[in-house]
Amino acid sequence: MTSREGERESKMGRDRIEKMSAEVVDSNPYSRLMALQRMGIVSEYEQIRQKSVAVVGVGGVGSVTADMLTRCGIGKLLLFDYDKVELANMNRLFFTPDQAGLSKVEAAANTLNFINPDVAIETNNYNITTVDNFDKFLGAIQTGGVKQGTPVDLVLSCVDNFEARMAINTACNELSLHWFESGVSENAVSGHIQFIRPGETACFACAPPLVVAENIDEKTLKREGVCAASLPTTMGIVAGMLVQNTLKYLLHFGTVSDYLGYNAMIDFFPQMSLKPNPTCDDSFCVKRQQEYLAKPACEKEVQNSAESDTEAVLHEDNLYGIELVAEDDGAPVKGAQPSNSTNKLTEGLKLAYEGPVSVEDTPTAHQSTEDEVSLDQLMAQMSSM
Amino acid sequence: MTSREGERESKMGRDRIEKMSAEVVDSNPYSRLMALQRMGIVSEYEQIRQKSVAVVGVGGVGSVTADMLTRCGIGKLLLFDYDKVELANMNRLFFTPDQAGLSKVEAAANTLNFINPDVAIETNNYNITTVDNFDKFLGAIQTGGVKQGTPVDLVLSCVDNFEARMAINTACNELSLHWFESGVSENAVSGHIQFIRPGETACFACAPPLVVAENIDEKTLKREGVCAASLPTTMGIVAGMLVQNTLKYLLHFGTVSDYLGYNAMIDFFPQMSLKPNPTCDDSFCVKRQQEYLAKPACEKEVQNSAESDTEAVLHEDNLYGIELVAEDDGAPVKGAQPSNSTNKLTEGLKLAYEGPVSVEDTPTAHQSTEDEVSLDQLMAQMSSM
């Protein structure tokens, strides 16, 4: 902790609050949240203090995610990252120039503790993708609940690479933990969140992206003089979608979206649902699917009321139960990759699968936008296996 | 300026940067923004330093809006508010507990200057709705451009009451300035932005909300022990939508939305366009309409490429050219007001118009969600005048 942060806590912070109050006074940081009860949105807001959430990746999306959850008064946050704050991160919300050089988890924990001392913050400063650290990560989320020894209530993936997403997926399949995946495109003008419930929806290994960077992380790219673009707007919106759906899930209001995309160029927000792949490579995913199928119908949680309403199936050969609910707006996105870009891979990229790619041109298929490319191609590729 | 903020600037801040660089080094706060050029999204990012934006209202939406624009390196920001920071604001992003008691514009300016000293920040600590202050406000936005004496490039309304929105509307009609209106519902689970171009789209007086609070601002409500609910998620998303469309407008990329709504309960984002009312009460609005009609077609800016694509008109009696583009998803929102709520007004509310209300039940009208109630009712009411 820096001396300034120490000063902040000792001199300027507010005292802890034992119980959330709905009293409408200027000094009550929870009055506007407790008002959700009077408005008929949430039945018992203070349940949020019994919830623990893991935020993996504390960058442009993860830091704002942690900030929002902290201001909402979440019981406990587990932060995972191994990167340092840099001035090059200042084009996104949350971190400040004085924090350059500090580890992201420590810098974030200092700010979050200062904003809301009622939230328990646990920092984990390591890369979850190495063998030893993966076990630490697994143990941390398995026992990181508000009640000691219980698992966290939800894992939020805010990482920027394929390996870390696969590590989270493996851990959550093994522990049967619900999690949200999130992402923002390299050109900064699209993003998405995806709610993954092992056995019930597609996991990240059931339907991974077809093209992934091969052993290239952001640091490598930087050395070559190239970096991804990013915007505080897109990352703030994706964090907002992620935390809003987290609140709906934890506090039982509204409909939790299975997948929500965002295309900033035309303000388009596609939704879809992905059923799990019965032949998924992840054995725990297959096991969770069998457990889910064996459950009596009454025990299956209705996570998303939209599921029962879904009627339209866009593809006739829908072997894998992939459902797509999207507006019929296919304006090509300036700067988006052409849909056949997987045929001409840039150096450092590889196909996640090596099976032959033969994309069917179904007459009903609409013009692909960036978010939909991988889905169409994925289905064609799965069919050809 | 408090001593801590002073210390921040002298000890911890970064130096000013004369020219934005695309160099990919950790110490460059603009590398990720300049990368938008290489990605083919923006042709000349640094033009943003020639732009000036007024942010009116520095609360839950306005503070995050100012934060995003500052991190994007906007040339100049004019902040307007007359409220103080309170602990009760800590459930939204941006302000910190140590700022409680400071004026919102000063607290915001201190933080923003520290985050990015390249942005010129002008604070205006007064209520724009009084007669004298309205003239000050008018003068400030008329001469507040980056080049001394020129008007600002855009006005962003982030206020929380009808009177302030009408004041901004009056000023922007008179000065023929483009502006965005924004808002978040009292139950915290919906919001919207609306792009208003005098003479070209409906102004706020062409189609005001039917029900407005009568001389009741947030302070009055608080005294009665009642406050609106708010969430950092909804406000962050609305600020993100607002600034994203601001960037698209200022830097000429993508399609700027005329109206973008957000319903958090079902992740629904309706869009629509509103044409101006030829008999609008605001004489400057009518004058701007005449000027716009007199323009040769080639001079009319194509602000929104979607406009030319719009075909569907949902209402047959479309006297006022109101176009609604929305998904066919009418799930009733828990906690939303019933659609006939205007017939039973709570104390302190009044109808904005006194004409008879007779809502037509057209067979093609879909179930109203909160955002659409006022539009359907407005059309019916206009027809009956």
Side-chain angles (χ1 to χ4, degrees):
Chain A
M1 189 178 290
T2 66
S3 60
R4 197 172 67 80
E5 294 295 340
E7 179 201 345
R8 263 188 164 183
E9 284 196 12
S10 58
K11 287 194 185 173
M12 317 288 237
R14 69 162 171 84
D15 293 332
R16 290 197 180 190
I17 292 172
E18 281 305 309
K19 187 164 168 53
M20 285 185 177
S21 156
E23 195 191 359
V24 180
V25 288
D26 291 349
S27 57
N28 179 7
Y30 296 120
S31 57
R32 306 296 205 276
L33 296 165
M34 294 295 281
L36 289 165
Q37 295 183 182
R38 195 177 45 242
M39 296 283 172
I41 304 296
V42 177
S43 58
E44 199 187 338
Y45 187 83
E46 200 165 4
Q47 282 189 342
I48 200 167
R49 298 187 87 155
Q50 304 310 315
K51 307 294 182 184
S52 175
V53 172
V55 177
V56 189
V58 188
V61 173
S63 63
V64 179
T65 294
D67 195 358
M68 287 175 171
L69 286 169
T70 296
R71 290 173 184 271
C72 285
I74 191 90
K76 185 174 174 184
L77 275 184
L78 286 75
L79 305 180
F80 295 85
D81 209 311
Y82 65 103
D83 209 358
K84 284 191 159 57
V85 180
E86 294 158 2
L87 281 183
N89 305 140
M90 292 306 129
N91 69 319
R92 306 153 213 178
L93 298 179
F94 191 73
F95 290 117
T96 47
D98 55 315
Q99 295 176 317
L102 299 178
S103 83
K104 283 184 177 174
V105 289
E106 285 306 323
N110 288 343
T111 303
L112 299 173
N113 274 323
F114 180 67
I115 290 170
N116 189 346
D118 300 331
V119 178
I121 314 265
E122 180 189 297
T123 58
N124 297 269
N125 196 358
Y126 53 79
N127 176 356
I128 65 166
T129 65
T130 70
V131 175
D132 286 352
N133 286 339
F134 177 78
D135 288 340
K136 278 171 73 177
F137 170 63
L138 198 82
I141 61 176
Q142 190 172 18
T143 60
V146 167
K147 194 179 160 195
Q148 191 61 34
T150 61
V152 298
D153 295 281
L154 196 65
V155 176
L156 303 179
S157 167
C158 306
V159 299
D160 62 357
N161 64 83
F162 181 78
E163 283 75 16
R165 286 184 176 93
M166 283 301 267
I168 297 166
N169 188 64
T170 304
C172 289
N173 275 337
E174 182 169 340
L175 301 175
S176 204
L177 282 179
H178 291 182
W179 66 289
F180 276 93
E181 131 71 4
S182 74
V184 173
S185 66
E186 279 203 333
N187 65 7
V189 289
S190 67
H192 73 275
I193 63 167
Q194 185 177 349
F195 189 24
I196 298 180
R197 304 185 293 283
E200 190 181 345
T201 66
C203 84
F204 194 70
C206 287
L210 277 182
V211 181
V212 298
E214 194 174 20
N215 295 324
I216 291 194
D217 63 10
E218 222 188 355
K219 284 198 172 64
T220 315
L221 291 172
K222 268 186 263 177
R223 265 181 238 126
E224 290 166 7
V226 177
C227 68
S230 61
L231 282 166
T233 44
T234 307
M235 289 183 148
I237 287 171
V238 170
M241 298 186 328
L242 185 63
V243 179
Q244 195 82 284
N245 277 281
T246 294
L247 294 174
K248 290 193 282 185
Y249 175 70
L250 296 177
L251 298 174
H252 310 291
F253 67 98
T255 300
V256 183
S257 292
D258 275 357
Y259 177 101
L260 178 60
Y262 168 49
N263 178 325
M265 302 298 273
I266 56 173
D267 286 335
F268 173 53
F269 298 80
Q271 295 207 28
M272 62 174 175
S273 293
L274 287 168
K275 290 206 171 69
N277 175 359
T279 60
C280 180
D281 281 346
D282 186 312
S283 61
F284 276 108
C285 173
V286 176
K287 192 175 169 206
R288 300 296 163 235
Q289 291 181 49
Q290 290 159 352
E291 289 167 1
Y292 184 76
L293 288 172
K295 269 190 190 176
C298 60
E299 278 183 28
K300 290 176 185 170
E301 290 175 77
V302 179
Q303 293 296 343
N304 187 330
S305 64
E307 277 179 21
S308 53
D309 299 335
T310 308
E311 287 171 22
V313 176
L314 295 183
H315 300 265
E316 288 186 8
D317 266 330
N318 201 1
L319 280 179
Y320 299 93
I322 297 174
E323 293 165 7
L324 186 65
V325 183
E327 285 180 17
D328 188 30
D329 195 333
V333 178
K334 187 181 165 191
Q337 294 296 318
S339 61
N340 64 345
S341 62
T342 52
N343 297 329
K344 304 165 196 165
L345 290 182
T346 309
E347 197 181 350
L349 297 179
K350 63 165 184 178
L351 289 171
Y353 285 111
E354 291 178 359
V357 180
S358 63
V359 178
E360 288 171 4
D361 271 323
T362 52
T364 54
H366 56 289
Q367 181 75 28
S368 293
T369 63
E370 191 172 12
D371 285 328
E372 291 149 17
V373 169
S374 59
L375 184 66
D376 286 342
Q377 292 183 332
L378 178 66
M379 290 191 59
Q381 194 171 13
M382 282 179 162
S383 304
S384 69
M385 278 177 165
Chain B
M1 190 178 290
T2 67
S3 60
R4 197 171 67 80
E5 295 295 340
E7 179 200 345
R8 265 187 164 185
E9 284 197 11
S10 58
K11 286 193 186 174
M12 317 288 236
R14 69 163 171 84
D15 292 333
R16 289 197 182 190
I17 292 172
E18 282 305 309
K19 186 164 168 53
M20 285 185 178
S21 157
E23 194 190 0
V24 181
V25 288
D26 291 350
S27 57
N28 178 6
Y30 296 120
S31 58
R32 306 297 204 275
L33 296 165
M34 293 296 282
L36 289 165
Q37 295 182 181
R38 195 176 46 243
M39 296 283 171
I41 304 296
V42 177
S43 58
E44 200 188 338
Y45 188 82
E46 200 165 5
Q47 282 189 344
I48 200 168
R49 297 186 87 154
Q50 304 310 315
K51 307 295 181 183
S52 175
V53 171
V55 177
V56 190
V58 188
V61 172
S63 63
V64 179
T65 293
D67 195 358
M68 288 175 170
L69 287 169
T70 297
R71 289 172 184 272
C72 285
I74 190 91
K76 185 174 173 184
L77 275 184
L78 286 75
L79 305 180
F80 295 84
D81 209 311
Y82 65 104
D83 209 357
K84 283 191 161 59
V85 180
E86 293 158 2
L87 281 184
N89 305 140
M90 292 305 129
N91 69 319
R92 306 151 213 180
L93 297 179
F94 191 72
F95 290 116
T96 47
D98 55 315
Q99 295 176 318
L102 299 178
S103 84
K104 284 184 176 173
V105 289
E106 286 305 323
N110 288 343
T111 303
L112 299 173
N113 276 323
F114 180 67
I115 290 171
N116 189 346
D118 300 331
V119 178
I121 313 266
E122 181 188 298
T123 59
N124 296 271
N125 197 358
Y126 52 80
N127 176 357
I128 65 167
T129 65
T130 70
V131 175
D132 287 351
N133 287 339
F134 176 78
D135 289 339
K136 278 171 73 177
F137 169 64
L138 198 82
I141 60 175
Q142 189 172 19
T143 61
V146 167
K147 194 179 159 194
Q148 191 61 34
T150 62
V152 298
D153 295 280
L154 196 64
V155 177
L156 303 180
S157 167
C158 305
V159 299
D160 62 357
N161 64 83
F162 181 79
E163 283 75 14
R165 287 185 176 92
M166 283 300 268
I168 297 166
N169 187 65
T170 304
C172 290
N173 275 338
E174 182 169 340
L175 301 175
S176 203
L177 282 179
H178 292 183
W179 65 290
F180 277 93
E181 132 70 4
S182 73
V184 172
S185 66
E186 278 204 333
N187 65 7
V189 289
S190 66
H192 72 276
I193 63 167
Q194 185 177 350
F195 189 25
I196 298 180
R197 303 185 294 281
E200 190 181 346
T201 66
C203 84
F204 194 71
C206 286
L210 276 181
V211 181
V212 298
E214 194 174 21
N215 295 324
I216 291 195
D217 61 13
E218 222 189 353
K219 284 198 172 61
T220 316
L221 290 172
K222 268 186 263 178
R223 265 181 238 126
E224 289 167 7
V226 176
C227 68
S230 60
L231 282 166
T233 44
T234 308
M235 289 182 148
I237 287 171
V238 169
M241 298 186 330
L242 185 62
V243 179
Q244 195 82 284
N245 277 282
T246 294
L247 294 175
K248 291 193 280 184
Y249 175 70
L250 295 177
L251 298 174
H252 309 292
F253 67 98
T255 301
V256 183
S257 292
D258 275 357
Y259 177 101
L260 178 60
Y262 168 49
N263 178 326
M265 302 299 272
I266 55 172
D267 286 334
F268 173 55
F269 297 80
Q271 295 208 29
M272 63 174 174
S273 292
L274 287 167
K275 290 206 171 68
N277 176 359
T279 60
C280 180
D281 281 345
D282 186 312
S283 62
F284 276 106
C285 172
V286 175
K287 193 176 168 203
R288 300 296 164 234
Q289 291 181 49
Q290 290 159 353
E291 289 167 0
Y292 184 76
L293 288 172
K295 269 191 189 176
C298 59
E299 278 183 29
K300 289 177 185 170
E301 292 175 76
V302 180
Q303 294 294 343
N304 187 331
S305 64
E307 277 179 19
S308 52
D309 300 334
T310 307
E311 288 170 22
V313 175
L314 295 182
H315 299 265
E316 288 186 7
D317 264 328
N318 199 1
L319 279 179
Y320 299 93
I322 296 173
E323 293 165 8
L324 187 64
V325 182
E327 287 179 13
D328 188 28
D329 196 334
V333 178
K334 186 182 165 191
Q337 295 296 318
S339 61
N340 64 345
S341 63
T342 51
N343 297 330
K344 303 166 195 164
L345 291 181
T346 309
E347 197 181 350
L349 299 178
K350 64 166 183 177
L351 289 170
Y353 285 110
E354 291 180 359
V357 180
S358 63
V359 178
E360 288 171 4
D361 271 323
T362 52
T364 54
H366 56 290
Q367 182 75 29
S368 294
T369 63
E370 191 173 11
D371 284 330
E372 292 149 16
V373 169
S374 60
L375 184 67
D376 286 342
Q377 291 182 334
L378 177 66
M379 289 190 60
Q381 194 171 12
M382 281 179 161
S383 304
S384 68
M385 277 177 166

PDB file of all heavy atoms in Angstrom, chain B residues 50-62:
ATOM      1  N   GLN B  50      -9.605  19.166 -30.932  1.00  0.00           N
ATOM      2  CA  GLN B  50     -10.214  20.419 -31.404  1.00  0.00           C
ATOM      3  C   GLN B  50     -11.678  20.507 -31.012  1.00  0.00           C
ATOM      4  O   GLN B  50     -12.381  21.426 -31.430  1.00  0.00           O
ATOM      5  CB  GLN B  50     -10.086  20.527 -32.928  1.00  0.00           C
ATOM      6  CG  GLN B  50      -8.654  20.414 -33.443  1.00  0.00           C
ATOM      7  CD  GLN B  50      -7.704  21.337 -32.703  1.00  0.00           C
ATOM      8  OE1 GLN B  50      -8.014  22.507 -32.463  1.00  0.00           O
ATOM      9  NE2 GLN B  50      -6.550  20.802 -32.295  1.00  0.00           N
ATOM     10  N   LYS B  51     -12.177  19.542 -30.236  1.00  0.00           N
ATOM     11  CA  LYS B  51     -13.608  19.489 -29.921  1.00  0.00           C
ATOM     12  C   LYS B  51     -13.869  19.904 -28.479  1.00  0.00           C
ATOM     13  O   LYS B  51     -13.097  19.592 -27.572  1.00  0.00           O
ATOM     14  CB  LYS B  51     -14.143  18.066 -30.125  1.00  0.00           C
ATOM     15  CG  LYS B  51     -13.853  17.467 -31.501  1.00  0.00           C
ATOM     16  CD  LYS B  51     -14.565  18.220 -32.621  1.00  0.00           C
ATOM     17  CE  LYS B  51     -14.265  17.578 -33.978  1.00  0.00           C
ATOM     18  NZ  LYS B  51     -14.884  18.315 -35.084  1.00  0.00           N
ATOM     19  N   SER B  52     -14.996  20.604 -28.298  1.00  0.00           N
ATOM     20  CA  SER B  52     -15.427  21.045 -26.973  1.00  0.00           C
ATOM     21  C   SER B  52     -16.843  20.545 -26.709  1.00  0.00           C
ATOM     22  O   SER B  52     -17.708  20.649 -27.576  1.00  0.00           O
ATOM     23  CB  SER B  52     -15.385  22.572 -26.911  1.00  0.00           C
ATOM     24  OG  SER B  52     -15.913  23.028 -25.684  1.00  0.00           O
ATOM     25  N   VAL B  53     -17.061  19.962 -25.540  1.00  0.00           N
ATOM     26  CA  VAL B  53     -18.368  19.399 -25.199  1.00  0.00           C
ATOM     27  C   VAL B  53     -18.821  19.956 -23.847  1.00  0.00           C
ATOM     28  O   VAL B  53     -18.031  20.024 -22.897  1.00  0.00           O
ATOM     29  CB  VAL B  53     -18.291  17.850 -25.137  1.00  0.00           C
ATOM     30  CG1 VAL B  53     -19.572  17.255 -24.576  1.00  0.00           C
ATOM     31  CG2 VAL B  53     -18.001  17.279 -26.536  1.00  0.00           C
ATOM     32  N   ALA B  54     -20.093  20.363 -23.772  1.00  0.00           N
ATOM     33  CA  ALA B  54     -20.678  20.792 -22.498  1.00  0.00           C
ATOM     34  C   ALA B  54     -21.409  19.615 -21.860  1.00  0.00           C
ATOM     35  O   ALA B  54     -22.211  18.965 -22.526  1.00  0.00           O
ATOM     36  CB  ALA B  54     -21.644  21.948 -22.727  1.00  0.00           C
ATOM     37  N   VAL B  55     -21.108  19.332 -20.597  1.00  0.00           N
ATOM     38  CA  VAL B  55     -21.803  18.274 -19.850  1.00  0.00           C
ATOM     39  C   VAL B  55     -22.644  18.964 -18.780  1.00  0.00           C
ATOM     40  O   VAL B  55     -22.100  19.554 -17.838  1.00  0.00           O
ATOM     41  CB  VAL B  55     -20.812  17.281 -19.210  1.00  0.00           C
ATOM     42  CG1 VAL B  55     -21.551  16.231 -18.381  1.00  0.00           C
ATOM     43  CG2 VAL B  55     -19.960  16.606 -20.290  1.00  0.00           C
ATOM     44  N   VAL B  56     -23.963  18.921 -18.940  1.00  0.00           N
ATOM     45  CA  VAL B  56     -24.854  19.616 -18.018  1.00  0.00           C
ATOM     46  C   VAL B  56     -25.439  18.597 -17.039  1.00  0.00           C
ATOM     47  O   VAL B  56     -26.190  17.711 -17.431  1.00  0.00           O
ATOM     48  CB  VAL B  56     -25.976  20.343 -18.777  1.00  0.00           C
ATOM     49  CG1 VAL B  56     -26.745  21.251 -17.819  1.00  0.00           C
ATOM     50  CG2 VAL B  56     -25.405  21.137 -19.945  1.00  0.00           C
ATOM     51  N   GLY B  57     -25.055  18.710 -15.782  1.00  0.00           N
ATOM     52  CA  GLY B  57     -25.421  17.720 -14.770  1.00  0.00           C
ATOM     53  C   GLY B  57     -24.265  16.755 -14.578  1.00  0.00           C
ATOM     54  O   GLY B  57     -23.931  15.998 -15.475  1.00  0.00           O
ATOM     55  N   VAL B  58     -23.633  16.803 -13.395  1.00  0.00           N
ATOM     56  CA  VAL B  58     -22.459  15.965 -13.156  1.00  0.00           C
ATOM     57  C   VAL B  58     -22.794  14.958 -12.053  1.00  0.00           C
ATOM     58  O   VAL B  58     -22.132  14.885 -11.019  1.00  0.00           O
ATOM     59  CB  VAL B  58     -21.221  16.828 -12.813  1.00  0.00           C
ATOM     60  CG1 VAL B  58     -19.949  15.982 -12.760  1.00  0.00           C
ATOM     61  CG2 VAL B  58     -21.036  17.915 -13.870  1.00  0.00           C
ATOM     62  N   GLY B  59     -23.878  14.208 -12.269  1.00  0.00           N
ATOM     63  CA  GLY B  59     -24.303  13.186 -11.312  1.00  0.00           C
ATOM     64  C   GLY B  59     -23.877  11.804 -11.787  1.00  0.00           C
ATOM     65  O   GLY B  59     -22.785  11.636 -12.320  1.00  0.00           O
ATOM     66  N   GLY B  60     -24.769  10.837 -11.607  1.00  0.00           N
ATOM     67  CA  GLY B  60     -24.437   9.443 -11.918  1.00  0.00           C
ATOM     68  C   GLY B  60     -24.097   9.209 -13.376  1.00  0.00           C
ATOM     69  O   GLY B  60     -23.202   8.424 -13.691  1.00  0.00           O
ATOM     70  N   VAL B  61     -24.793   9.893 -14.288  1.00  0.00           N
ATOM     71  CA  VAL B  61     -24.492   9.749 -15.718  1.00  0.00           C
ATOM     72  C   VAL B  61     -23.436  10.776 -16.141  1.00  0.00           C
ATOM     73  O   VAL B  61     -22.458  10.444 -16.813  1.00  0.00           O
ATOM     74  CB  VAL B  61     -25.769   9.910 -16.580  1.00  0.00           C
ATOM     75  CG1 VAL B  61     -25.423   9.951 -18.069  1.00  0.00           C
ATOM     76  CG2 VAL B  61     -26.738   8.758 -16.299  1.00  0.00           C
ATOM     77  N   GLY B  62     -23.588  12.036 -15.725  1.00  0.00           N
ATOM     78  CA  GLY B  62     -22.706  13.113 -16.184  1.00  0.00           C
ATOM     79  C   GLY B  62     -21.263  12.951 -15.745  1.00  0.00           C
ATOM     80  O   GLY B  62     -20.334  13.257 -16.510  1.00  0.00           O
TER      81      GLY B  62
END
